[in-house]
Amino acid sequence: MIALTFVTNDDRTIATDAAPGETLLHAGQRAGLPLEGTCGGQMACATCHVLIDPAFADRLPASTAEEEDMLDLVPDATRASRLACQVILTPRLDGLIARLP
Protein backbone atom coordinates (compact mmCIF):
# COMPACT_ATOMS: atom_id res chain seq x y z
CA MET A 1 0.00 0.00 0.00
CA ILE A 2 0.98 3.60 -0.61
CA ALA A 3 0.57 6.05 2.28
CA LEU A 4 -1.02 9.39 1.38
CA THR A 5 -1.79 12.57 3.26
CA PHE A 6 -4.31 15.10 2.04
CA VAL A 7 -4.38 18.59 3.53
CA THR A 8 -7.77 20.27 3.26
CA ASN A 9 -8.24 23.95 2.53
CA ASP A 10 -8.90 24.47 6.26
CA ASP A 11 -5.59 22.74 7.15
CA ARG A 12 -7.01 19.43 8.39
CA THR A 13 -4.91 16.40 7.49
CA ILE A 14 -6.51 13.23 6.22
CA ALA A 15 -4.31 10.14 6.08
CA THR A 16 -5.26 7.26 3.82
CA ASP A 17 -3.61 4.65 1.67
CA ALA A 18 -3.96 3.41 -1.86
CA ALA A 19 -3.05 0.46 -3.99
CA PRO A 20 -0.39 0.84 -6.67
CA GLY A 21 -2.04 1.80 -9.96
CA GLU A 22 -4.91 3.65 -8.29
CA THR A 23 -5.36 7.34 -9.11
CA LEU A 24 -4.93 10.04 -6.52
CA LEU A 25 -8.50 11.10 -7.35
CA HIS A 26 -9.95 7.71 -6.45
CA ALA A 27 -7.93 7.50 -3.22
CA GLY A 28 -9.12 10.96 -2.20
CA GLN A 29 -12.73 10.15 -2.98
CA ARG A 30 -12.53 6.96 -0.90
CA ALA A 31 -11.20 9.10 1.97
CA GLY A 32 -14.30 11.30 1.72
CA LEU A 33 -12.61 14.36 0.25
CA PRO A 34 -14.52 16.78 -1.99
CA LEU A 35 -12.66 15.84 -5.17
CA GLU A 36 -15.46 15.68 -7.72
CA GLY A 37 -13.79 14.30 -10.81
CA THR A 38 -16.90 15.29 -12.74
CA CYS A 39 -15.50 14.20 -16.09
CA GLY A 40 -14.50 10.74 -14.87
CA GLY A 41 -10.80 11.33 -15.44
CA GLN A 42 -11.10 12.43 -19.07
CA MET A 43 -9.41 15.83 -18.47
CA ALA A 44 -12.55 17.71 -19.46
CA CYS A 45 -12.83 19.54 -16.13
CA ALA A 46 -10.53 20.49 -13.27
CA THR A 47 -12.71 19.46 -10.33
CA CYS A 48 -9.93 17.22 -9.03
CA HIS A 49 -7.27 19.96 -8.90
CA VAL A 50 -4.72 19.39 -6.11
CA LEU A 51 -1.38 20.90 -5.14
CA ILE A 52 1.44 18.38 -4.83
CA ASP A 53 3.93 18.94 -2.03
CA PRO A 54 7.21 20.14 -3.59
CA ALA A 55 9.12 17.24 -2.03
CA PHE A 56 7.22 14.89 -4.35
CA ALA A 57 7.09 16.97 -7.53
CA ASP A 58 10.14 15.34 -9.10
CA ARG A 59 8.74 11.85 -8.40
CA LEU A 60 5.78 12.43 -10.71
CA PRO A 61 5.89 12.14 -14.47
CA ALA A 62 5.62 15.51 -16.18
CA SER A 63 2.14 16.82 -16.91
CA THR A 64 0.91 16.17 -20.43
CA ALA A 65 0.05 19.08 -22.70
CA GLU A 66 -3.63 18.21 -22.23
CA GLU A 67 -3.34 18.36 -18.45
CA GLU A 68 -1.48 21.68 -18.65
CA ASP A 69 -4.21 23.08 -20.93
CA MET A 70 -6.88 22.13 -18.38
CA LEU A 71 -4.86 23.57 -15.49
CA ASP A 72 -4.58 26.85 -17.41
CA LEU A 73 -8.32 27.24 -16.77
CA VAL A 74 -7.95 26.93 -12.99
CA PRO A 75 -7.76 30.40 -11.38
CA ASP A 76 -5.68 29.28 -8.38
CA ALA A 77 -3.32 26.95 -10.24
CA THR A 78 0.37 27.03 -9.35
CA ARG A 79 3.48 25.17 -10.46
CA ALA A 80 2.51 22.49 -7.90
CA SER A 81 -0.93 21.99 -9.48
CA ARG A 82 -1.96 18.63 -10.88
CA LEU A 83 -5.21 16.93 -11.78
CA ALA A 84 -5.63 14.10 -9.27
CA CYS A 85 -7.20 11.93 -11.98
CA GLN A 86 -3.87 11.98 -13.83
CA VAL A 87 -1.66 11.03 -10.87
CA ILE A 88 -1.22 7.26 -10.97
CA LEU A 89 0.09 6.09 -7.62
CA THR A 90 3.26 4.02 -7.48
CA PRO A 91 5.47 2.90 -4.59
CA ARG A 92 7.79 5.79 -5.49
CA LEU A 93 5.00 8.12 -4.27
CA ASP A 94 4.70 6.51 -0.83
CA GLY A 95 4.14 9.32 1.69
CA LEU A 96 2.77 11.74 -0.92
CA ILE A 97 1.20 14.94 0.42
CA ALA A 98 -1.49 16.66 -1.64
CA ARG A 99 -3.23 19.89 -0.68
CA LEU A 100 -6.76 20.75 -1.71
CA PRO A 101 -6.87 24.38 -2.88
Side-chain angles (χ1 to χ4, degrees), residues 34-53:
L35 292 168
E36 290 181 38
T38 303
C39 70
Q42 300 301 308
M43 284 193 290
C45 72
T47 60
C48 66
H49 172 227
V50 295
L51 302 169
I52 301 297
D53 186 275

Side-chain angles (χ1 to χ4, degrees), residues 5 10 13 16 18 20 23 31 44 52-53 57 64 78-79 85-86 93:
T5 301
D10 61 356
T13 58
T16 191
T23 64
I52 301 297
D53 186 275
T64 63
T78 71
R79 294 183 61 82
C85 67
Q86 299 303 302
L93 296 173

Side-chain angles (χ1 to χ4, degrees), residues 3-26:
L4 304 170
T5 301
F6 289 92
V7 181
T8 65
N9 58 5
D10 61 356
D11 289 323
R12 289 182 303 119
T13 58
I14 310 281
T16 191
D17 56 11
E22 186 174 8
T23 64
L24 186 59
L25 171 62
H26 187 251

Side-chain angles (χ1 to χ4, degrees), residues 58-81:
D58 65 339
R59 298 184 198 184
L60 291 171
S63 301
T64 63
E66 294 85 3
E67 183 179 3
E68 289 294 329
D69 288 345
M70 189 56 53
L71 287 168
D72 285 343
L73 303 174
V74 176
D76 54 351
T78 71
R79 294 183 61 82
S81 292

